[in-house]
Amino acid sequence: MNFEAFRVEVRRIIDEDRIIESQGELMLYSYDASPAEQAMPRMVIQPLTTGEVSEILKLANEYLVPVVPSSGRTSLHGGPIPYNGAVVIDLMRMNKVLEVNLEDSYVHSEVGVRLDELNAELARYGHFFPPDPASSAAATVGGSLANGAGGMRGAKYGTVKDWVLGAEVVLPTGEVTFMGCRTLKCRAGYDLLNLIIGSEGTLGVVTNAYLKIWPLPEAVVRLRVYFKSIIDAAKAVGVIKSRGFRPLIIEFLDEGTMEAVSNYVREFKYPESAEAMLIIDIDGPPEAMDRYVNSMVTLLKETGGFEIEWTSNRDEMEKIYMARRAAYPALLRLFSNDRVMPEDISVPPSKLPEAVKGIRDIGDKYGLRIVTWGHVGDGNLHPNIIYNPSDQSSISRLHAVTREIGLLAINLGGTVSSEHGIGVLKKDLLVNELEVKGIAQLRLMKAIKKAFDPNNILNPGKVIDVD
Ligand SMILES: Cc1cc2nc3c(=O)[nH]c(=O)nc-3n(C[C@H](O)[C@H](O)[C@H](O)COP(=O)(O)OP(=O)(O)OC[C@H]3O[C@@H](n4cnc5c(N)ncnc54)[C@H](O)[C@@H]3O)c2cc1C
């Protein structure tokens, strides 16, 4: 690596006020939202155009300087952390919504636009971009595309990969390409766009994207229901799906989550006998909503739900949802002397009862507290493991617990990573999953990384280790 030569040349092409080298400011780029080890970048560069990103990558490739793309930095697996003195490319200044095209059903956006900002703009046209990570106030188009993010509405609308038509991608060599199409149908050779989506900034830097958009739901009703048993709550999800309901969201909160939230949000109260809570949004034409709600309430009662409430009032809906929105900060506050390892598995919805029971058993077996919530409409659970980072026994048990939860998901026909990605924290679990599904895939993944990034300069050490 010849960082000094890189530094001199970067200063020729990027304005000084868009290059950060002061320790105080660099510190802000040394972590993400995960408990992954922090690392200081050597430099942060804030490009404004695809051309600048291309020039930076050409130089990085020439001088063998590792570079890490960075956006909202809400990653939960260490993806944007610049290990080994890497340079950060901060894409937050590329933050314009370029075009909303209703006729062709897309929004063309630069990558630094936050998802809530994007949806505020689209709402003016009566449309929205459905993928909605719970971090949408800070998470961006680029970071969400690179992470293959999902969210609550995944139950009905899938994840980011289902909503990207095409994207401008700068390869690690600095070459600029447009992957995918602007049309809804696109079969132009191998699907490289879908390799980029979810590649966590290891194959290319995305600078702008054409995203599919959808008309806003006409009417939405939010229901909140408690269950005396988490198993019953998990079973209810399968019943909802098998009866043909396709709710917009089905969010699951276990007792530990409710306890954390009630300590954090004064207004939030829950019945003592409740082991779990579901938040369900159903949407449809206004004239059908009473019928939908009545059927859903009947179903929830049959499956053991109690204290069922529902509303279509915006403020009331937000009040119900606050329990879910506050879950992560509430947990961090409640266990402020410990650390929280956020996990992210998916199982087929029919296997949710076995999954929630299995997670509880694993926590008991290793004596670690696990607090679980999730977007259960698509079988996605987030078990959050509480551990003590200064206690070696606690750390060893954490590793055993994450491994067993991953294996549980795989054995139930699921996956170790639904939406948060692999980053640095889940590389071993990814290998575990590939061992079950066919380890030849690891060889292919390494070959793909090499084909895109022959000098391994782009976000090295993330997702997979290259030999
Ligand atoms: C409270 C909380 C709740 C969350 N809830 C969800 C959830 O419901 N669903 C979900 O999927 N995730 C969730 N996450 C995880 C995370 O917020 C999302 O995955 C989010 O989409 C990441 O976007 P970001 O802009 O913060 O990306 P960053 O964290 O900045 O980056 C993510 C990854 O993408 C790479 N990258 C960033 N920008 C680019 C680019 N332009 N080109 C190429 N690579 C790039 C980075 O190197 C990194 O590897 C949550 C996180 C928190 C803290």
Side-chain angles (χ1 to χ4, degrees), residues 104-298:
D104 294 339
S105 311
Y106 67 70
V107 55
H108 182 204
S109 175
E110 289 188 324
V111 282
V113 175
R114 294 188 174 91
L115 293 180
D116 279 2
E117 292 164 357
L118 184 78
N119 272 325
E121 177 66 13
L122 290 173
R124 295 177 45 220
Y125 300 86
H127 279 63
F128 74 127
F129 174 65
D132 57 342
S135 53
S136 58
T140 63
V141 167
S144 302
L145 194 152
N147 258 7
M152 294 164 301
R153 293 192 286 244
K156 185 157 192 160
Y157 293 108
T159 64
V160 165
K161 74 173 164 27
D162 303 306
W163 292 90
V164 185
L165 294 173
E168 188 162 62
V169 180
V170 186
L171 300 178
T173 50
E175 293 157 280
V176 178
T177 64
F178 182 84
M179 293 182 183
C181 302
R182 278 166 53 176
T183 48
L184 291 173
K185 288 182 179 162
C186 179
R187 276 290 296 108
Y190 294 132
D191 191 349
L192 298 182
L193 175 67
N194 268 308
L195 268 182
I196 292 293
I197 298 170
S199 65
E200 302 179 38
T202 61
L203 300 181
V205 178
V206 185
T207 53
N208 60 74
Y210 286 83
L211 308 169
K212 274 194 270 183
I213 55 176
W214 204 250
L216 281 163
E218 281 183 75
V220 180
V221 172
R222 179 161 295 163
L223 295 98
R224 191 229 49 217
V225 52
Y226 297 103
F227 289 84
K228 290 192 175 136
S229 131
I230 52 167
I231 309 288
D232 285 349
K235 278 186 185 158
V237 179
V239 179
I240 290 170
K241 302 211 87 167
S242 59
R243 298 249 180 110
F245 284 102
R246 287 295 174 269
L248 203 50
I249 70 172
I250 312 180
E251 291 295 305
F252 166 90
L253 289 78
D254 75 355
E255 199 178 350
T257 312
M258 293 190 284
E259 183 198 339
V261 173
S262 67
N263 276 301
Y264 187 69
V265 179
R266 208 176 311 133
E267 311 89 81
F268 178 73
K269 304 266 181 294
Y270 64 100
E272 242 173 54
S273 60
E275 245 186 33
M277 164 180 166
L278 294 180
I279 301 173
I280 302 167
D281 278 8
I282 43 185
D283 66 323
E287 61 278 9
M289 293 314 285
D290 281 349
R291 184 164 51 86
Y292 288 176
V293 171
N294 288 338
S295 314
M296 180 61 83
V297 170
T298 307

Side-chain angles (χ1 to χ4, degrees), residues 347-376:
V347 297
S350 61
K351 301 289 182 194
L352 280 167
E354 283 165 77
V356 291
K357 180 177 179 314
I359 291 165
R360 194 155 66 173
D361 291 348
I362 293 167
D364 290 346
K365 177 173 162 192
Y366 290 97
L368 285 187
R369 179 99 189 257
I370 304 178
V371 173
T372 301
W373 60 75
H375 317 299
V376 286

Side-chain angles (χ1 to χ4, degrees), residues 33 69-76 79-80 91 111 133-135 139-140 142-144 146-147 149-151 200-201 204-206 328 375 419-420 459:
S70 162
S71 296
R73 305 193 68 77
T74 62
S75 161
L76 288 170
L91 295 138
V111 282
S135 53
T140 63
S144 302
N147 258 7
E200 302 179 38
V205 178
V206 185
Y328 193 55
H375 317 299
E419 52 178 25
H420 293 169
N459 217 356

Side-chain angles (χ1 to χ4, degrees), residues 342-346 380-383 415-421 426:
E343 277 304 325
D344 170 39
I345 59 165
S346 263
N380 184 186
L381 287 168
H382 294 308
T415 176
V416 300
S417 175
S418 312
E419 52 178 25
H420 293 169
K426 294 188 98 169

